[in-house]
Amino acid sequence: VKSGEYEGKLTLGEDAVRTNKVLAAEFDYDSGKIKVQTSMEAIDPRADAFALVHNDGTVVPVSEVSGDNGNYELTLDRQPSLINLYQYRLRFHGYDYPIQANTIYASKRFAKEFTYTGKDLGAVWTAEGTTFKVWAPTAEQVRVALYVGGTPGENDLLEVVPMVRMAAGVWKASISGNRHGQYYTYLVKR
């Protein structure tokens, strides 16, 4: 190899991204917009170059793109549910990228929608029955599992009861009968 002379050949594999790509994408829960940083400035940042894609294939179109120099804000046709937010990715020019949602819990919108001031989380027991409540606002499904004892490794599961989503991200299940002293865990699917 001589200085200043290149005699090699560049060969890119089929998996090489040869176009502008997303470096970072973050969902802003207060504004409902996605903030995107790309590897280079888009010549024509069109809304149809972007889409929000759910794991099941459902697409939420982008209605507007604002910004420049590789930093953009995407306005969506409709807002995704917080419950499903982690099941979305950003599609840009045919490639899918993860979307960060790190600021959701600190957002004003989250505080407004999911602050729970009740004093009844956990198991509230009476002789007639027990009501189980847990705060899990990002859960897709919650169940309460009841056990004979609390010994690890024992197969003493009695039953698994589905819980119902209530206001402010609280899930609830009421079980009749005297459940005093019974062991339980919550099974949370997100």
Side-chain angles (χ1 to χ4, degrees):
V1 176
K2 293 181 185 177
S3 178
E5 293 182 26
Y6 176 72
E7 296 179 19
K9 178 181 173 185
L10 175 65
T11 305
L12 298 176
E14 290 300 316
D15 61 341
V17 177
R18 301 175 191 151
T19 63
N20 195 359
K21 64 181 180 177
V22 171
L23 299 175
E26 183 165 1
F27 186 77
D28 182 323
Y29 199 59
D30 281 332
S31 71
K33 295 184 179 190
I34 299 174
K35 296 180 181 185
V36 178
Q37 180 185 11
T38 60
S39 59
M40 62 182 84
E41 183 171 4
I43 297 168
D44 181 20
R46 300 180 333 266
D48 64 353
F50 297 93
L52 192 64
V53 182
H54 190 273
N55 288 343
D56 69 5
T58 305
V59 175
V60 178
V62 172
S63 57
E64 182 183 341
V65 177
S66 60
D68 58 14
N69 296 325
N71 293 299
Y72 305 100
E73 275 194 353
L74 311 180
T75 303
L76 303 171
D77 277 358
R78 62 180 168 78
Q79 294 300 309
S81 159
L82 172 70
I83 301 163
N84 297 323
L85 191 56
Y86 294 99
Q87 298 173 6
Y88 283 95
R89 59 198 180 282
L90 180 66
R91 182 163 292 160
F92 179 58
H93 289 301
Y95 294 95
D96 289 353
Y97 301 91
I99 300 172
Q100 300 298 313
N102 301 332
T103 60
I104 285 179
Y105 301 108
S107 71
K108 292 176 186 172
R109 183 175 165 199
F110 184 88
K112 181 180 176 185
E113 290 179 26
F114 298 107
T115 296
Y116 184 69
T117 57
K119 308 273 190 247
D120 57 349
L121 294 177
V124 177
W125 170 83
T126 67
E128 292 78 38
T130 302
T131 298
F132 296 90
K133 286 187 180 179
V134 63
W135 184 74
T138 60
E140 184 179 315
Q141 176 189 64
V142 180
R143 299 173 297 155
V144 61
L146 303 170
Y147 302 90
V148 173
T151 307
E154 294 275 328
N155 188 12
D156 60 352
L157 178 67
L158 288 172
E159 64 180 312
V160 177
V161 179
M163 299 182 80
V164 177
R165 176 183 275 283
M166 310 299 285
V170 173
W171 293 77
K172 175 183 174 181
S174 295
I175 303 170
S176 62
N178 188 339
R179 303 293 180 146
H180 182 67
Q182 190 152 43
Y183 291 88
Y184 67 94
T185 60
Y186 294 112
L187 307 172
V188 180
K189 178 181 175 187
R190 188 175 86 165

